[in-house]
Amino acid sequence: MIHETVDAILAAEEQVARDIAQATEDAKESVQQAEKEAERIRTEVVARMKVERKKSAEAAMADGEKQYTQILASGKQNAQLLLTATDLGPAVSYIKEKVTAAYVHC
């Protein structure tokens, strides 16, 4: 009976050793799979971020171009208003007098 008990204990210890070895292998495999999945996710995110960054840059350029066009149009409109509101008569008369005095000898 003692031999049977010892044999049962030895068999249980061997089973525990096999279970530990299997668990260790399973853990290594799980770690490898997790590392592969992490690398796949990282690669996917990098690719997605490149696309998003390009879209953002294009949107910013389009918005900048739109604002530039609006500012330029507003500046041209203000310049035109200034030109139409300014009385050039006195300036033209003054220049005519100076040119006539300098180049026409009467």
Side-chain angles (χ1 to χ4, degrees), residues 42-88:
R42 187 194 69 78
T43 302
E44 181 181 306
V45 168
V46 167
R48 196 172 348 130
M49 288 299 108
K50 284 181 182 179
V51 170
E52 290 299 319
R53 185 176 55 221
K54 183 178 178 184
K55 285 180 184 178
S56 295
E58 289 171 353
M61 288 296 289
D63 187 48
E65 186 67 31
K66 181 181 176 184
Q67 289 181 19
Y68 167 78
T69 302
Q70 290 173 346
I71 291 168
L72 186 60
S74 176
K76 285 181 180 180
Q77 184 180 16
N78 289 340
Q80 188 59 40
L81 288 173
L82 184 62
L83 284 174
T84 57
T86 303
D87 181 18
L88 298 178

Side-chain angles (χ1 to χ4, degrees), residues 4-106:
E4 293 170 356
T5 305
V6 171
D7 288 341
I9 292 171
L10 291 175
E13 287 178 346
E14 288 176 9
Q15 184 60 43
V16 168
R18 285 192 298 271
D19 290 346
I20 291 172
Q22 184 61 46
T24 302
E25 287 301 314
D26 290 347
K28 287 179 183 178
E29 187 176 318
S30 293
V31 168
Q32 287 176 345
Q33 288 176 353
E35 288 173 347
K36 287 179 185 178
E37 181 66 11
E39 181 61 25
R40 183 192 66 76
I41 291 170
R42 187 194 69 78
T43 302
E44 181 181 306
V45 168
V46 167
R48 196 172 348 130
M49 288 299 108
K50 284 181 182 179
V51 170
E52 290 299 319
R53 185 176 55 221
K54 183 178 178 184
K55 285 180 184 178
S56 295
E58 289 171 353
M61 288 296 289
D63 187 48
E65 186 67 31
K66 181 181 176 184
Q67 289 181 19
Y68 167 78
T69 302
Q70 290 173 346
I71 291 168
L72 186 60
S74 176
K76 285 181 180 180
Q77 184 180 16
N78 289 340
Q80 188 59 40
L81 288 173
L82 184 62
L83 284 174
T84 57
T86 303
D87 181 18
L88 298 178
V92 170
S93 295
Y94 176 78
I95 292 170
K96 281 167 97 176
E97 287 176 23
K98 294 296 178 182
V99 169
T100 302
Y103 296 107
V104 179
H105 300 293
C106 298

